[in-house]
Amino acid sequence: MTGPSRTSIFQRPAWVVVFALTAAIAWGWAFPLIKIGFSAFGITADMTGSKMLFAGIRFAVAGLIVLSVARSSGRSFRTSRRMDWSFILTFALMNTTLHYFFFYVGMSHSEGSRAAILNSLSTFLVVLLACACFKSDKLTSRKIIGCTVGFCGILALNLGGAESGQLVAGHSERWLGDGMIILNAICGACANLMTRGLSRRIDVFVGTGYSLTIGGLLLIIPGLAFGGSLPNVNLTGIVCLILLIAISAIGFALYNKLLSCNPVGKVAIYNSLIPIVGAVTSCLCLGETFHLKYALAGGLAALGIYIINKGKN
């Protein structure tokens, strides 16, 4: 009788699905909200400092909210060793600062729908890397097939030319768009793997709050140094920023807790839904053309998640 009662809600299969889907759907909405926020605040593609400031405000405030909730709920803020702070700082750099520096720069040079699907690379990298790093994540034929199908979805983005949504600008523009989103995906995958280590050093909610706050400040400071500002402060921009703050606070708190007490691959694969949500919402909210290959890529990502989660791991 004591076994089930001791099982955390974050380990119960039904709730794992609910929480993982909540985080994935929320993050999918971030793609159009960031593009709308750029436009509302008057942040153009060449305003790197302003993009860093926009991102930094979002994550620093989200982190402070998570820390406030953790404090009010009586969670421990203690670390087991002084050296744990070096790990927390590294996690903040990878999970927030570098991750979202690349993301925000890439988003300003790419369509939201395209970036959403390309970003799914992170999900499949996590599934494969987790098998190499954790004994609880075993490499199975289903995972190999599912990841292969998912990668095919990413490759499908490069079918056709300009009329099908492929970027045909110079190498510099491709690097600032697709290249930065790929670097963002790699940082996200590495941060996912580090979450298990974070949970061993500090309460995961507190660690998440520190990561967002520190990582956000490390975006704000250089952003201001590079002359960053929010040129046109208005209601639309503020609403977008508030929604993005809520997405970060809720999404990271739920997702990092799930990663801390479940096999990484089992949780991370739900992020395959992010490109579908991101592509659809970007097309609906931004008026972007929904190319046929977006449906193909999103479908392959969805098929990948189904294959990996079918049956027992």
Side-chain angles (χ1 to χ4, degrees):
M1 291 181 65
T2 57
S5 62
R6 292 179 179 176
T7 302
S8 166
I9 189 174
F10 291 97
Q11 292 176 300
R12 298 173 187 173
W15 284 106
V16 169
V17 173
V18 171
F19 292 145
L21 286 177
T22 298
I25 292 172
W27 280 329
W29 273 97
F31 289 89
L33 287 173
I34 289 171
K35 299 284 281 188
I36 295 172
F38 281 161
S39 177
F41 285 127
I43 300 174
T44 58
D46 60 336
M47 298 171 67
T48 302
S50 294
K51 285 179 278 191
M52 295 177 72
L53 178 62
F54 183 25
I57 293 172
R58 170 191 174 185
F59 294 110
V61 174
L64 291 174
I65 291 173
V66 173
L67 289 175
S68 297
V69 173
R71 174 69 72 183
S72 64
S73 60
R75 292 183 177 275
S76 173
F77 277 62
R78 290 185 178 181
T79 58
S80 55
R81 299 186 306 273
R82 182 173 298 179
M83 287 185 62
D84 288 341
W85 277 103
S86 62
F87 184 93
I88 294 171
L89 178 59
T90 302
F91 181 74
L93 285 169
M94 188 65 66
N95 187 60
T96 306
T97 306
L98 293 176
H99 185 183
Y100 284 97
F101 169 75
F102 294 137
F103 183 69
Y104 272 63
V105 172
M107 279 294 293
S108 64
H109 292 273
S110 178
E111 288 189 337
S113 49
R114 179 183 178 85
I117 298 172
L118 189 60
N119 190 57
S120 65
L121 172 65
S122 176
T123 300
F124 301 106
L125 285 177
V126 169
V127 171
L128 294 177
L129 291 175
C131 294
C133 297
F134 304 117
K135 293 181 179 180
S136 59
D137 290 79
K138 300 184 182 300
L139 185 62
T140 64
S141 59
R142 284 185 294 100
K143 288 183 178 179
I144 294 173
I145 294 172
C147 288
T148 300
V149 171
F151 281 123
C152 287
I154 295 171
L155 294 175
L157 283 177
N158 289 303
L159 295 174
E163 69 282 356
S164 62
Q166 182 176 344
L167 298 179
V168 292
H171 291 296
S172 177
E173 187 68 19
R174 287 293 297 274
W175 167 247
L176 289 173
D178 290 6
M180 287 295 184
I181 295 297
I182 290 173
L183 288 176
N184 148 76
I186 293 172
C187 287
C190 292
N192 277 197
L193 298 179
M194 293 176 67
T195 302
R196 188 71 62 82
L198 179 72
S199 67
R200 296 195 185 104
R201 292 167 168 82
I202 194 170
D203 179 276
V204 71
F205 284 111
V206 175
T208 297
Y210 279 141
S211 166
L212 293 172
T213 304
I214 296 171
L217 290 175
L218 292 177
L219 283 166
I220 290 174
I221 294 171
L224 291 173
F226 291 150
S229 65
L230 303 179
N232 303 315
V233 178
N234 52 69
L235 181 60
T236 300
I238 292 173
V239 170
C240 285
L241 186 55
I242 291 173
L243 290 174
L244 286 168
I245 289 170
I247 286 172
S248 295
I250 296 171
F252 275 108
L254 288 176
Y255 186 70
N256 286 350
K257 181 62 178 178
L258 289 173
L259 286 179
S260 71
C261 53
N262 293 281
V264 174
K266 190 75 173 179
V267 176
I269 194 58
Y270 283 94
N271 283 357
S272 292
L273 297 175
I274 294 176
I276 300 174
V277 177
V280 172
T281 55
S282 292
C283 291
L284 292 175
C285 298
L286 305 174
E288 296 177 357
T289 303
F290 191 85
H291 300 285
L292 180 60
K293 67 178 180 179
Y294 291 172
L296 173 61
L300 289 172
L303 180 58
I305 184 175
Y306 172 76
I307 292 173
I308 291 174
N309 281 296
K310 184 181 180 181
K312 296 182 178 180
N313 281 336

